């Protein structure tokens, strides 16, 4: 795979994180190193890459102050060592609410500096039979969308459940890239994951980089995987179905500009 002057290689890392912080950090290190070795300039880790415990309060216990903590230091080191733009999946950041955290996606530049922070706005809730999820019980919702400037274009940060809210992605400025680290459940993933990713790509004529969890986790939780990179026309460029792996693709900004010129849907919007 070779890049052209207008293209940039990106990677979506798929993990099957468990309940050991160190083991998960080690796995992330290995996979980011491989992605960088394969030429990726921007690498995305999945939501909760650092921990997928059976007991949710264990995640809350790892909450860090923004700008410091072992998870953030680890991400800083990875970005700096491999000279990549790194989307650190999500990181548990402290809030003022007792027993609750922000589920935050942090973007690091190749010098290891945090270039952007996005606190997940839409908190997942799902109830079906024995499956019960209520992120609001342990998380605080963010309030602001975030678009970061990178050499690959404007990058919209989002997380998992955000994908179900198309209006969130249509807020200006229009991004060239959308990041969607996730831990989609197997039930909802089988039904909607690829559909949502491709819809967000087509609606926004943007590349979507979706790094997910893909397997069975402590407590019997099952995530859908299928980490993928989708182009602005809705084509899946690469996908990892299950288990650990790396979805890798070249994004062509010249092609994207051509598509936006050919089909100027973003400028044809009537309603904000």
């Amino acid at each position: 795979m070779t890049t052209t002057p207008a293209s940039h290689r990106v990677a979506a890392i798929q993990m099957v994180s468990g309940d050991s912080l160190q083991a998960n950090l080690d796995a992330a290190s290995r996979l980011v190193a491989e992605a960088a070795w394969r030429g990726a300039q921007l690498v995305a880790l999945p939501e909760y890459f650092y921990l997928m415990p059976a007991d949710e309060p264990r995640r809350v216990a790892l909450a860090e102050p923004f700008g410091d903590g072992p998870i953030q230091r680890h991400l800083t080191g990875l970005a700096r060592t491999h000279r990549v733009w790194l989307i650190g999946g999500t990181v548990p950041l402290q809030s003022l609410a007792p027993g609750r955290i922000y589920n935050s996606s942090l973007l690091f530049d190749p010098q290891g500096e945090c270039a952007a922070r996005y606190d997940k706005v839409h908190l997942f809730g799902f109830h079906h039979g024995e499956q019960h999820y209520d992120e609001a019980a342990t998380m605080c919702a963010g309030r602001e969308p975030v678009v970061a400037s990178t050499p690959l274009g404007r990058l919209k940060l989002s997380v998992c459940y955000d994908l179900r809210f198309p209006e969130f992605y249509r807020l200006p400025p229009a991004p060239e890239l959308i990041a969607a680290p996730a831990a989609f459940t197997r039930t909802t993933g089988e039904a909607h994951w690829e559909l949502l990713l491709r819809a967000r790509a087509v609606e926004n004529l943007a590349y979507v980089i979706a790094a997910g969890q893909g397997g069975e986790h402590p407590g019997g939780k099952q995530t859908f995987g299928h980490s993928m990179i989708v182009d602005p026309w809705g084509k899946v460029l690469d996908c990892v179905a299950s288990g650990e792996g790396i979805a890798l693709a070249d994004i062509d900004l010249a092609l994207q500009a051509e598509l936006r010129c050919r089909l100027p849907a973003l400028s044809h919007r009537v309603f904000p």
Side-chain angles (χ1 to χ4, degrees):
M1 188 183 292
T2 58
T3 60
T4 66
S7 69
H8 302 272
R9 191 161 297 169
V10 300
I13 288 177
Q14 183 159 292
M15 295 177 62
V16 187
S17 299
D19 57 8
S20 166
L21 173 63
Q22 190 58 55
N24 295 330
L25 295 181
D26 290 345
S29 296
R30 172 170 44 80
L31 290 162
V32 170
E34 180 182 346
W37 178 77
R38 294 172 66 184
Q41 297 158 275
L42 183 147
V43 180
L45 288 164
E47 185 179 25
Y48 305 142
F49 79 95
Y50 61 93
L51 200 74
M52 284 285 286
D55 184 16
E56 288 300 312
R58 284 199 56 203
R59 185 179 289 125
V60 177
L62 293 177
E64 300 179 352
F66 178 49
D68 192 25
I71 300 171
Q72 292 171 84
R73 288 195 295 269
H74 192 80
L75 293 170
T76 290
L78 288 179
R80 182 187 298 136
T81 297
H82 300 293
R83 306 295 294 176
V84 295
W85 286 84
L86 179 64
I87 301 167
T90 59
V91 174
L93 296 184
Q94 293 175 355
S95 79
L96 296 177
R100 297 165 73 194
I101 60 173
Y102 286 110
N103 189 23
S104 303
S105 188
L106 304 182
L107 173 68
F108 295 86
D109 68 18
Q111 289 73 48
E113 298 295 326
C114 184
R117 167 185 173 174
Y118 165 68
D119 299 332
K120 186 177 182 181
V121 168
H122 302 98
L123 301 182
F124 181 56
F126 181 73
H127 306 281
H128 178 70
E130 295 183 356
Q131 296 185 63
H132 297 278
Y133 298 91
D134 182 14
E135 289 185 337
T138 57
M139 295 178 188
C140 294
R143 290 289 180 263
E144 299 292 334
V146 174
V147 176
S149 295
T150 78
L152 290 75
R154 288 170 297 197
L155 172 66
K156 177 93 173 195
L157 296 175
S158 68
V159 177
C160 199
Y161 193 49
D162 288 330
L163 285 167
R164 295 186 180 273
F165 303 89
E167 67 278 8
F168 175 78
Y169 296 91
R170 298 304 291 271
L171 296 170
E176 282 72 45
L177 308 168
I178 292 171
F184 250 62
T185 68
R186 178 170 296 279
T187 300
T188 57
E190 286 177 341
H192 303 140
W193 171 245
E194 183 176 333
L195 173 68
L196 289 168
L197 293 173
R198 295 178 68 188
R200 299 298 84 83
V202 170
E203 289 168 350
N204 297 284
L205 289 163
Y207 285 93
V208 175
I209 304 163
Q213 295 281 351
E216 186 167 341
H217 310 273
K221 294 179 181 176
Q222 293 188 334
T223 47
F224 183 59
H226 291 78
S227 298
M228 63 181 70
I229 299 163
V230 186
D231 79 4
W233 210 242
K235 178 182 178 182
V236 176
L237 299 178
D238 197 15
C239 177
V240 178
S242 62
E244 279 191 358
I246 301 172
L248 194 72
D250 289 340
I251 61 170
D252 188 335
L253 299 180
L255 172 62
Q256 180 179 39
E258 178 185 335
L259 290 173
R260 286 183 168 183
C261 182
R262 189 188 309 166
L263 179 63
L266 296 176
S267 65
H268 289 165
R269 293 176 61 199
V270 175
F271 301 104

